[in-house]
Amino acid sequence: MSGYENVKELQRRVEIARAGGSDKAKEKHQAQGKILVRDRLNILFDNGEYLEDGLLVGASRGMPGDAVVTAIGKINGQEVAVIANDMTVKAGTWGYHTFRKIVRMQEIAVDAKMPIIYLVDSAGARIDSQFDCYLGRIAWGNIFYTQVQISGVVPQVCVMFGPSPAGSAYVPALCDLVIMVDKQATAYLGSPRLAEAAIGEKVTEEQMGGARMHCAMSGLGDYLAQNEEEALKAAADYLRFFPSHNSQLPPLREPKLPGSKRSITEIVPPDQNRPFDVKELVESLVDEGSIFEVKALFAKEIYTAFAYLGGRPVGIIANNSKNKGGVLFNDSADKATRFIWACNAFNVPLLFLQDISGYMIGSAVEKAGIIRHGAKLLHAVCEAKVPRISVMVRKGYGGGYLGMSGGPTMPDAQLALPGAMPALMGPEAAINAIHYNEIQALEGEARAAFIDEKQKAYAKDINAFDPADQFSFEAVIDPDDLRDELIKRFALYSRREIPRIDRRNGIYPV
Amino acid sequence: MSEIKAPMAGNIWKINVQVGQEVNFGDEVIIMESMKMEIPVEADDSGVVKEIKVAENDTVDDGNVLIILG
């Protein structure tokens, strides 16, 4: 066989490779409502065009691509590397060539400065390949090693269409963002069958590691998609906020007015104890239709979202008093921390909207390590180098004020709305602490009157204007001018030079 | 049957429903008070209030059952 005959042989092999798994496997896949791997790539890439490596791997052995497709194409005009399991070939399992193809594409992506999207749908490591792939320096684990080396250098997004069991669950866990398709995606270290045998627990796959569980409870999932098309769109939408590499700035786009015309004075109740949904405040500030919320179902007391503000991408972290009073817990501190790392790694400016009673107190949260988790948030805030603006919307109490990027953590500006209430603690707690003995000595109406008088006097000192007088706030802003003020200030602070280093931080798991 | 649980530690400030009353998903059935904030507790299911396990001014921990829906 030579010359032109080889061209025919090439065509034959390419055809086999592109066809993927057996007809039976593909029928089964589609019967579950799932999209075939190459159709996923066609949806994702502009014009369905891509450059592929390792297409012919395994084609002669009935394992097209060795169960993975690695390709580079454009998404919304930006070059992106995609690593996609093919569930129809050996259940998408990892063999020897699978991980070599994956690692090679990771290396190419970082060298050529482009984000990676992992399309995960795999039964995990191929057990019969373990003696070639498990131990030593050339092995499955190289995938994770490389993910960690390039974390914070190029954006890494994971879309989960199906399982990612045991060790392969670390692929999503080491990505910046994890999108999970509801009722399809699963991740667990031990399967329900394994758990029943080892610890006697009986649960379903969905309970053990379903998409909803991970997006609402474990925090592994960042975005719960209703179907595969939505999941692919979310991955593309997320990347619009990021540069292709940490040496570049995020893209600007045409500014748009906010979709919500409501005034902040209508949205934020003046009574500091009344909850409100901070999402409504964000919608009144940012460009219409530009919000991408991260972890919408997890630790809802803190709201984290990317959005465009006057055409500039920003990462927004806001206390949401609608849930758990907006108080900071372990999970909310972790959620905010990881969000800060993603912004800081890729030059995305940060906006903090403070309305914080503090970190949760009580023995339960102390045992769970609230100090440790709170310190993690404080650490991330103090290390952040990107343009950063904090706005005291209502309460700014205690250590929570610092975790939420308060003035002493050196944001570019600490602004305040006229209703701001900055204090080490609120009137009730403070008066009880300062006058404890006097209060204990009084009884009945006399006690109530004493407390009331002291609280009122204390509350009078908690206002936006005294700190402005002391230059503790850069400015107090009329609520109706906040958007314009932020746009001007982000443009100003974005001119500040940030020292270039190989990597500012990884997007660490928390 | 489903249980409505306390989202965090705190006090029961107001109970907005009575036994036998029908509630819908998202209804504000109880308002707690914690960390000096009003903490609305919403029904995460629809049904009839079968039992109210707490009274106003009670102290509860995170996860305590407040209301049982039948």
Side-chain angles (χ1 to χ4, degrees):
Chain A
M1 194 167 62
S2 65
Y4 292 119
E5 281 175 32
N6 279 353
V7 174
K8 277 191 186 153
E9 178 61 12
L10 171 64
Q11 287 166 346
R12 190 184 70 83
R13 289 187 180 223
V14 165
E15 201 177 313
I16 292 170
R18 290 216 180 113
S22 66
D23 288 346
K24 200 176 144 201
K26 285 191 281 191
E27 276 163 28
K28 188 182 156 202
H29 188 81
Q30 288 175 306
Q32 293 168 338
K34 293 169 76 174
I35 300 174
L36 295 172
V37 66
R38 285 186 187 273
D39 292 335
R40 287 174 184 157
L41 296 191
N42 286 338
I43 294 171
L44 201 50
F45 286 132
D46 297 351
N47 308 317
E49 288 170 12
Y50 52 90
L51 187 70
E52 183 171 352
D53 269 351
L55 172 64
L56 298 184
V57 170
S60 61
R61 288 172 280 120
M63 276 196 276
D66 208 10
V68 69
V69 180
T70 57
I72 292 167
K74 285 187 175 174
I75 299 175
N76 297 321
Q78 177 188 30
E79 274 192 325
V80 178
V82 172
I83 295 169
N85 302 122
D86 186 349
M87 189 40 129
T88 68
V89 178
K90 273 257 184 187
T93 50
W94 296 359
Y96 180 69
H97 300 293
T98 323
F99 84 79
R100 288 180 59 227
K101 280 178 67 178
I102 292 173
V103 171
R104 183 62 197 133
M105 187 50 74
Q106 291 173 314
E107 291 168 353
I108 292 169
V110 77
D111 287 347
K113 298 186 167 61
M114 65 179 83
I116 302 176
I117 300 179
Y118 300 84
L119 302 184
V120 170
D121 196 0
S122 160
R126 217 174 280 160
I127 297 173
D128 57 11
S129 297
Q130 64 165 319
F131 298 112
D132 297 322
C133 301
Y134 179 54
L135 297 166
R137 303 177 73 87
I138 302 173
W140 289 318
N142 293 159
I143 295 170
F144 313 133
Y145 177 81
T146 313
Q147 270 190 287
V148 171
Q149 305 311 305
I150 65 179
S151 177
V153 181
V154 293
Q156 298 185 86
V157 177
C158 179
V159 187
M160 297 186 61
F161 300 101
S164 192
S168 66
Y170 295 118
V171 169
L174 293 169
C175 278
D176 309 352
L177 185 91
V178 181
I179 297 159
M180 298 180 118
V181 179
D182 197 14
K183 300 188 176 71
Q184 284 185 205
T186 56
Y188 37 69
L189 294 186
S191 66
R193 208 189 301 169
L194 196 64
E196 189 176 352
I199 60 172
E201 188 188 38
K202 279 189 185 176
V203 291
T204 63
E205 282 220 328
E206 196 63 24
Q207 289 168 325
M208 182 69 91
R212 187 165 287 277
M213 188 288 280
H214 280 304
C215 290
M217 298 174 84
S218 82
L220 175 68
D222 293 295
Y223 186 107
L224 185 67
Q226 294 314 305
N227 53 52
E228 296 199 15
E229 286 88 349
E230 185 193 340
L232 290 164
K233 185 178 178 301
D237 286 349
Y238 174 79
L239 289 177
R240 284 172 184 266
F241 297 97
F242 289 87
S244 296
H245 187 267
N246 70 351
S247 62
Q248 303 160 359
L249 293 172
L252 303 179
R253 63 156 96 158
E254 202 57 38
K256 268 190 198 170
L257 289 172
S260 160
K261 300 286 180 280
R262 291 182 65 203
S263 163
I264 291 178
T265 51
E266 289 169 40
I267 297 167
V268 182
D271 176 355
Q272 58 159 333
N273 302 331
R274 299 235 62 159
F276 73 98
D277 192 351
V278 83
K279 278 182 202 176
E280 294 177 20
L281 172 57
V282 171
E283 280 163 7
S284 78
L285 285 177
V286 304
D287 298 9
E288 180 168 20
S290 74
I291 297 174
F292 186 100
E293 189 175 351
V294 175
K295 285 188 167 46
L297 302 175
F298 179 76
K300 292 189 278 187
E301 59 277 12
I302 198 143
Y303 171 85
T304 52
F306 294 96
Y308 274 83
L309 181 63
R312 181 186 302 279
V314 290
I316 300 167
I317 299 180
N319 306 114
N320 197 354
S321 58
K322 182 170 184 275
N323 301 293
K324 297 186 180 181
V327 173
L328 283 165
F329 286 73
N330 295 357
D331 281 347
S332 23
D334 283 357
K335 173 175 166 180
T337 300
R338 208 159 186 278
F339 188 83
I340 293 167
W341 285 333
C343 292
N344 190 49
F346 295 111
N347 306 308
V348 178
L350 281 163
L351 171 62
F352 286 82
L353 300 174
Q354 304 156 332
D355 178 22
I356 175 73
S357 310
Y359 283 101
M360 186 60 189
I361 59 170
S363 65
V365 291
E366 294 294 352
K367 280 178 202 158
I370 188 97
I371 298 173
R372 204 160 43 75
H373 289 274
K376 191 161 36 178
L377 174 56
L378 188 55
H379 199 284
V381 164
C382 293
E383 254 189 347
K385 297 282 187 283
V386 292
R388 172 160 55 104
I389 299 176
S390 310
V391 181
M392 194 173 291
V393 174
R394 227 167 38 164
K395 288 192 281 195
Y397 290 169
Y401 157 67
L402 297 176
M404 284 298 291
S405 180
T409 69
M410 303 296 183
D412 290 279
Q414 168 71 65
L415 309 177
L417 294 180
M421 285 173 275
L424 180 58
M425 49 177 95
E428 295 89 347
I431 294 311
N432 193 45
I434 302 167
H435 299 287
Y436 183 78
N437 290 336
E438 292 159 84
I439 291 169
Q440 293 306 310
L442 294 167
E443 276 175 12
E445 276 183 28
R447 180 190 277 198
F450 178 83
I451 292 172
D452 189 53
E453 183 202 336
K454 294 287 177 194
Q455 282 187 3
K456 276 186 179 146
Y458 182 93
K460 207 158 77 53
D461 291 335
I462 304 178
N463 62 69
F465 303 111
D466 293 341
D469 187 65
Q470 302 289 324
F471 198 35
S472 297
F473 293 151
E474 267 73 10
V476 180
I477 314 294
D478 183 321
D480 291 336
D481 298 337
L482 183 59
R483 172 180 155 91
D484 289 344
E485 179 88 14
L486 290 172
I487 291 170
K488 282 181 196 155
R489 286 182 183 269
F490 273 122
L492 175 68
Y493 304 136
S494 294
R495 283 154 55 187
R496 174 164 62 74
E497 288 271 333
I498 305 175
R500 283 272 289 277
I501 47 172
D502 290 344
R503 156 163 93 163
R504 212 167 286 139
N505 56 254
I507 319 299
Y508 314 112
V510 289
Chain B
M1 201 176 85
S2 67
E3 294 171 338
I4 301 174
K5 293 178 181 172
M8 65 194 290
N11 302 313
I12 303 299
W13 185 41
K14 277 185 191 165
I15 298 173
N16 295 339
V17 293
Q18 293 174 327
V19 173
Q21 189 176 330
E22 203 167 305
V23 297
N24 292 313
F25 180 92
D27 283 357
E28 201 174 285
V29 289
I30 279 179
I31 305 175
M32 287 177 51
E33 184 278 325
S34 178
M35 300 291 284
K36 305 297 169 198
M37 283 297 292
E38 291 174 23
I39 313 289
V41 182
E42 293 177 355
D44 43 17
D45 201 354
S46 298
V48 174
V49 176
K50 202 175 158 199
E51 193 181 345
I52 300 174
K53 308 278 276 187
V54 289
E56 288 178 2
N57 298 321
D58 278 3
T59 302
V60 296
D61 277 333
D62 182 10
N64 282 176
V65 176
L66 308 179
I67 287 176
I68 296 174
L69 295 180

